[in-house]
Amino acid sequence: PTLLLSQSSRPAAKPAPGHRPAAAVPAKHVTVSCRGYATLTPSGTVFPRAAKPDTATFVDPTVHRTQPQLVKLGCRTYLAPFVALDPQGAPISIGHASNLQDNVTVSGRITIGDRVSIAHGATLIGPTVIGATDGLPAFVGFNSVVEGATVEPDAMVTHLVKVSPGIVIRAGTKVLPGKWIRTQAEADSLSLGK
């Protein structure tokens, strides 16, 4: 996929007396092309090892890596301190430009799409799908648990939410803090504040 990044120009400093300011510089758009996925290794922090800064993935050295050969990482992805990855014999795939923040736990067969944020302390238990390749961003909030469920692109599970197995949180949905989604009818209900 190709990611479009916006680089804004800095505000101009006040010119010295008698100095004519230069013309304003429009914002630049930088296209970053990501090709394939890197395989996690038992150690190392930059993936792939020879990656350039515009495509590199960073894995904090404190990330717990069980069966790292089963974990695939897209480019420009960030795994924060104390993330725990435990595939339990099934693949874990983390897409391009996604991030797993401090103390996130990922266990079992998990697919995380592109531009997905998993906030601090969240737990994903497989089989679970969050977002999609080339999809809109998706979000799972602080200390939320998503177990055996799907969070579609452009969906948001906020903080302290539990999503039970078999549930689909549909695109355009926002699950408010503290909710426990046990049935698909609850997930689709506007009464939960979505």
Side-chain angles (χ1 to χ4, degrees):
T2 299
L3 303 176
L4 184 63
L5 305 174
S6 177
Q7 177 183 358
S8 60
S9 54
R10 294 176 53 170
K14 187 174 181 178
H19 181 267
R20 288 181 8 163
V25 177
K28 287 195 233 176
H29 291 292
V30 180
T31 301
V32 178
S33 179
C34 303
R35 296 177 191 210
Y37 287 77
T39 300
L40 190 63
T41 60
S43 63
T45 58
V46 176
F47 294 90
R49 290 211 168 129
K52 295 182 179 179
D54 63 340
T55 60
T57 283
F58 179 76
V59 177
D60 189 86
T62 63
V63 169
H64 177 75
R65 310 163 197 222
T66 303
Q67 298 177 307
Q69 72 280 6
L70 295 177
V71 179
K72 303 293 183 208
L73 303 169
C75 74
R76 297 188 61 101
T77 291
Y78 173 63
L79 304 184
F82 305 106
V83 164
L85 301 171
D86 182 6
Q88 298 182 350
I92 293 175
S93 176
I94 302 169
H96 304 296
S98 291
N99 74 83
L100 279 64
Q101 298 170 7
D102 303 41
N103 297 306
V104 165
T105 299
V106 177
S107 178
R109 180 182 303 274
I110 305 289
T111 301
I112 297 171
D114 297 341
R115 293 173 295 280
V116 171
S117 289
I118 310 296
H120 301 73
T123 300
L124 306 178
I125 303 168
T128 290
V129 176
I130 311 291
T133 301
D134 289 330
L136 292 171
F139 177 78
V140 175
F142 297 96
N143 298 311
S144 288
V145 176
V146 179
E147 180 180 1
T150 298
V151 177
E152 292 182 343
D154 195 33
M156 178 181 212
V157 172
T158 60
H159 316 305
L160 296 168
V161 169
K162 165 82 164 124
V163 182
S164 296
I167 303 299
V168 176
I169 303 299
R170 301 190 196 287
T173 300
K174 177 182 178 183
V175 180
L176 291 180
K179 302 295 182 182
W180 182 3
I181 309 298
R182 297 176 206 144
T183 67
Q184 191 60 49
E186 288 177 339
D188 295 337
S189 171
L190 295 178
S191 67
L192 289 179
K194 297 171 247 128

